[in-house]
Amino acid sequence: MNDKSLESILHEPRVFNPAAAFTAAARISPADYERLAAEAARDYEGYWARLARETLDWQRPFTTVLDSSQAPNYRWFTDGRLNASVNCLDVHLAERGGKTAIVFESEPGEVRRLSYRELTAAVCRLANALQAQGIGAGDRVVIYLPMVPEAVVAMQACARIGAVHSVVFGGFSAKSLRERIEDAGARLVITADGGRRAGRLVELKAATDEALAGSCPTVEKVIVLRHAGNAVAMQAGRDLWWSDATAGQPESCAPAVVDAEHPLFLLYTSGSTGRPKGIQHATGGFLLGAKLTSQWIFDLRDSDVFWCTADVGWVTGHTYVAYGPLAAGATIVMYEGAPVHPDAGRFWSICERHGVTIFYTAPTAIRALMKFGDVIPAQYDLSKLRLLGTVGEPINPEAWIWYHKHIGRERCPIVDTWWQTETGATMIAPLPGAIATKPGSCTRPIPGIDAAVVDEDGREITDVEHGGYLVIRKPWPSMLRTIWGDNARYIRTYWEKFGGRYYVAGDTAHRDDDGYFWVMGRADDVLKVSGHRLGTMEVESAFVAHPRVAETAVVGRPHDVKGEAICAFVVLKGERPTGAAAEQLAGELRDWVGHELGAIAKPDDVRFADNLPKTRSGKIMRRLLRAVARGEEITEDVSTLENPAIIEQLRGKA
Ligand code: WTA
């Protein structure tokens, strides 16, 4: 037994081979897979260079493939030049200009379709409008929109003129929005009057006003999309309606041809310390990863209707809504609303009505819908579906099997895709015609990705009983380039642990006899609540911003739908409340955190204590708190605790 590794406990014996008919028609056959893997092993740079040349449309071809001179700030295709929106839009106009690019359905049921030609025109008009407002290459634009086609239009319009977008999830609070605007130094914000979610109005413009009030001096203009129709205040000189901004703008716009390394976007994500990190991606490498993985992992082809349910506020909505499938020329579905509105059949009804062939969602959504039983999906015609996918957290075998049986009708392969905001595109996933699947495993890295599991000393773990750190041993094109404004943090977070040799994902994993990867969870203080990343520190900072809170420690505990629920241990300034007073304050604090960070960060449990369990050196013993939150026996030695009696109180026994 190696005490530098973790013991793995999940053993899932079932194996599902792709159907012969699927394999026969797949873009990547088992032989292709072997050939690609061998090519990548033989000539790593040559492999990526070939794919980059064949996959993307370059305005100026590159001659340099990988530049490691500033490692770990790796750069790819450095002397090549291209434009992302040209690669997603213009390249399709001759052959499929009239083809539907986006099918949009609103929560109340309005359906809108945009062809590639119409989408291109909308992108160009907004791109021209942005330029008319003085926005140019390298300027940051924050996008705070609901899940509507205009969100994709806004992203693509930025890409068209070389502006750098930073999408902020519409569920985030004004305060989160403000932090992100400030960190990015954005000159312009694109928002909407409001969005709709589960029958409720989300007041995006009001939140934007709150975010900008007395701060964010870099913001000069706010473009407001009329969507929900709610009343909003428009600030003269600063705010303008999308329709006015784009009125009279031409339907074509010369693309800004940028260097491959030109930043395409920033996307803020949670880490283990307080401030969210602005993950920065580069145009060429990101686009290559997005398009290639869309084609390989989802087996995307011209006839497909692809629905990735992720919001554009998350990386999945960047790679597999706004860029990858459009670069591949597919038809995508976008839905603004909740999966259970008006009932738990909504997803399946959308699949049926729009003829969805490929459906990609998160395990948390599958678990939530599974709770409503098998009868609901059985009422829908899902015969067009041919492939299913999951992302965001490990999928438990029970949910996998339900998805396979009741949605895929035992006919569709399931691609469990492991990746991160930082990786830009999927890294480990089955190529569906080539790799047999096992419920709960993301299977093997795609050819060209050198993933491994290593122990505390960086040695590869080969013994199947043990897990360790998931690392990537070679740079890859769609990797993050840096953390915006904090390159030292980039190096510290992702490279320091193993002396710059490996990219450290922050996840733990183990491999089985077949070399399949099984992701076990996070190795750091990052929580995964409904598939969304939250840092414990961020939630803790939100708590202590409340005037009554002195100190807090936040941990995760397993939750059958959300994957993980937030449990907060709170020490107040003053008396510890009990009974009804405790309940009332707990409710107030939950709302407070929801307001500070956004509803997804609301803790499930708030427990009050006189103190937190600390070592004599003052370190909070999080492992112990995790055991308390889970209601587990405390097996560890608590004799080093400063205040051992606190355990009983935390467990609610004193
Ligand atoms: C987790 C989402 C297991 C993992 C694309 C990772 C997964 C984090 C999977 C990144 C999967 C994502 N199986 N775990 N298929 N996909 N994760 O940045 O912990 O929101 O580090 O990107 O999600 O979350 P992020």
Side-chain angles (χ1 to χ4, degrees):
M1 158 102 197
N2 176 349
D3 62 5
K4 292 198 162 129
S5 66
L6 299 159
E7 200 161 339
S8 84
I9 46 171
L10 178 74
H11 293 285
E12 169 55 59
R14 288 168 285 195
V15 178
F16 294 81
N17 284 298
F22 191 100
T23 294
R27 270 181 178 269
I28 308 288
S29 69
D32 296 332
Y33 176 86
E34 295 305 333
R35 202 174 26 77
L36 289 165
E39 184 188 350
R42 195 174 57 241
D43 175 12
Y44 190 70
E45 288 188 35
Y47 168 82
W48 282 117
R50 178 181 69 77
L51 291 172
R53 285 190 192 106
E54 290 173 3
T55 308
L56 300 180
D57 205 64
W58 296 87
Q59 258 68 56
R60 186 174 84 194
F62 56 87
T63 57
T64 305
V65 183
L66 170 62
D67 173 359
S68 304
S69 61
Q70 296 164 56
N73 292 103
Y74 295 97
R75 294 144 51 87
W76 287 85
F77 319 123
T78 43
D79 56 347
R81 309 198 78 194
L82 76 171
N83 177 279
S85 88
V86 167
N87 271 280
C88 295
L89 303 171
D90 307 45
V91 293
H92 304 306
L93 295 182
E95 258 179 60
R96 49 178 86 81
K99 175 180 176 174
T100 301
I102 302 180
V103 183
F104 167 72
E105 182 163 316
S106 73
E107 197 173 74
E110 171 217 1
V111 173
R112 254 200 291 159
R113 285 188 175 76
L114 275 93
S115 67
Y116 271 94
R117 197 169 296 118
E118 290 163 332
L119 179 62
T120 308
V123 167
C124 288
R125 291 180 66 200
L126 184 67
N128 288 322
L130 290 171
Q131 281 177 329
Q133 297 304 323
I135 300 298
D139 287 334
R140 273 82 62 207
V141 172
V142 162
I143 298 173
Y144 186 56
L145 284 172
M147 192 56 186
V148 292
E150 286 79 3
V152 173
V153 170
M155 294 161 83
Q156 290 281 349
C158 288
R160 186 108 194 148
I161 61 172
V164 182
H165 61 71
S166 176
V167 182
V168 177
F169 174 54
F172 274 134
S173 67
K175 181 165 172 275
S176 305
L177 174 62
R178 176 191 301 147
E179 274 174 11
R180 287 158 173 78
I181 292 173
E182 283 184 339
D183 193 84
R187 292 185 63 192
L188 190 139
V189 178
I190 303 177
T191 188
D193 47 2
R196 298 193 202 86
R197 180 93 190 167
R200 288 190 312 271
L201 173 71
V202 185
E203 299 209 43
L204 295 168
K205 177 60 167 63
T208 305
D209 292 339
E210 190 186 331
L212 297 181
S215 59
C216 307
T218 54
V219 174
E220 295 156 31
K221 297 284 175 192
V222 178
I223 293 181
V224 186
L225 176 73
R226 166 77 70 209
H227 173 63
N230 52 308
V232 297
M234 296 291 278
Q235 183 175 311
R238 187 194 70 183
D239 302 350
L240 68 168
W241 292 106
W242 177 304
S243 53
D244 294 338
T246 54
Q249 291 293 352
E251 294 188 346
S252 65
C253 172
V257 176
V258 297
D259 288 347
E261 279 297 304
H262 185 75
L264 180 60
F265 65 85
L266 309 180
L267 183 60
Y268 284 81
T269 189
S270 297
S272 40
T273 54
R275 286 178 73 77
K277 312 176 269 202
I279 303 299
Q280 189 225 297
H281 280 284
T283 306
F286 172 82
L287 209 60
L288 174 61
K291 180 172 176 184
L292 202 62
T293 54
S294 295
Q295 292 177 326
W296 284 4
I297 296 167
F298 297 107
D299 194 44
L300 255 191
R301 53 195 69 225
D302 218 27
S303 51
D304 278 311
V305 178
F306 179 73
W307 184 20
C308 163
T309 67
D311 191 281
V312 288
W314 310 105
V315 73
T316 310
H318 282 59
T319 311
Y320 299 113
V321 178
Y323 288 105
L326 294 181
T331 295
I332 62 168
V333 173
M334 290 179 77
Y335 167 57
E336 180 203 10
V340 292
H341 196 89
D343 58 51
R346 186 63 182 259
F347 272 9
W348 321 130
S349 152
I350 292 174
C351 287
E352 177 185 286
R353 281 180 293 108
H354 300 304
V356 172
T357 58
I358 302 169
F359 179 71
Y360 185 37
T361 196
T364 183
I366 298 166
R367 288 192 300 265
L369 295 171
M370 191 173 129
K371 290 217 143 183
F372 291 91
D374 316 340
V375 176
I376 294 176
Q379 291 162 356
Y380 296 91
D381 175 5
L382 300 179
S383 58
K384 290 251 172 69
L385 282 176
R386 64 181 197 91
L387 182 71
L388 302 174
T390 76
V391 61
E393 51 176 318
I395 181 164
N396 47 311
E398 191 197 355
W400 196 103
I401 295 291
W402 187 84
Y403 198 32
H404 172 68
K405 266 199 178 144
H406 299 286
I407 309 306
R409 313 270 157 95
E410 301 186 10
R411 190 187 66 240
C412 307
I414 297 182
V415 291
D416 176 347
T417 63
W418 178 88
W419 59 296
Q420 311 178 289
T421 305
E422 292 86 341
T423 68
T426 298
M427 305 288 279
I428 311 180
L431 299 187
I435 306 281
T437 56
K438 303 182 187 183
S441 169
C442 50
T443 76
R444 293 162 177 269
I446 68 160
I449 297 301
D450 185 12
V453 176
V454 301
D455 70 12
E456 202 55 60
D457 299 326
R459 271 194 298 260
E460 185 159 12
I461 298 176
T462 46
D463 133 38
V464 299
E465 294 298 315
H466 293 96
Y469 297 95
L470 178 52
V471 298
I472 312 295
R473 295 185 292 199
K474 287 198 190 86
W476 65 102
S478 69
M479 66 192 296
L480 78 164
R481 296 306 193 256
T482 187
I483 292 175
W484 187 252
D486 196 350
N487 197 52
R489 188 172 176 196
Y490 163 74
I491 295 169
R492 203 168 58 237
T493 309
Y494 303 109
W495 298 94
E496 199 161 70
K497 186 160 182 74
F498 300 114
R501 278 183 301 157
Y502 308 144
Y503 167 84
V504 183
D507 282 359
T508 55
H510 73 97
R511 299 181 74 170
D512 66 17
D513 290 331
D514 297 321
Y516 278 33
F517 284 74
W518 298 75
V519 175
M520 299 158 81
R522 296 289 307 188
D524 54 17
D525 289 329
V526 171
L527 303 170
K528 269 283 179 171
V529 180
S530 300
H532 301 320
R533 271 166 81 163
L534 292 169
T536 51
M537 279 281 287
E538 272 174 277
V539 183
E540 288 166 5
S541 324
F543 263 103
V544 294
H546 188 279
R548 289 192 59 188
V549 175
E551 191 178 29
T552 186
V554 163
V555 297
R557 67 163 168 81
H559 185 282
D560 61 352
V561 173
K562 297 197 236 182
E564 224 172 353
I566 300 178
C567 178
F569 296 91
V570 178
V571 179
L572 295 176
K573 298 171 182 160
E575 282 291 284
R576 174 167 63 97
T578 51
E583 261 168 49
Q584 200 201 328
L585 184 60
E588 192 184 305
L589 290 174
R590 292 182 69 244
D591 290 344
W592 169 270
V593 173
H595 181 77
E596 287 279 296
L597 296 175
I600 48 167
K602 273 192 181 182
D604 276 51
D605 311 334
V606 176
R607 301 200 197 178
F608 297 105
D610 292 325
N611 238 313
L612 296 175
K614 291 186 183 163
T615 60
R616 279 167 217 219
S617 61
K619 248 182 87 159
I620 295 175
M621 294 187 69
R622 286 172 183 281
R623 228 167 355 131
L624 202 149
L625 287 175
R626 250 174 249 140
V628 172
R630 290 165 191 211
E632 290 167 2
E633 278 304 308
I634 307 233
T635 50
E636 53 205 292
D637 180 11
V638 293
S639 61
T640 55
L641 272 186
E642 178 71 40
N643 45 353
I646 198 68
I647 307 277
E648 289 305 297
Q649 188 185 82
L650 292 168
R651 297 170 76 182
K653 303 235 164 94

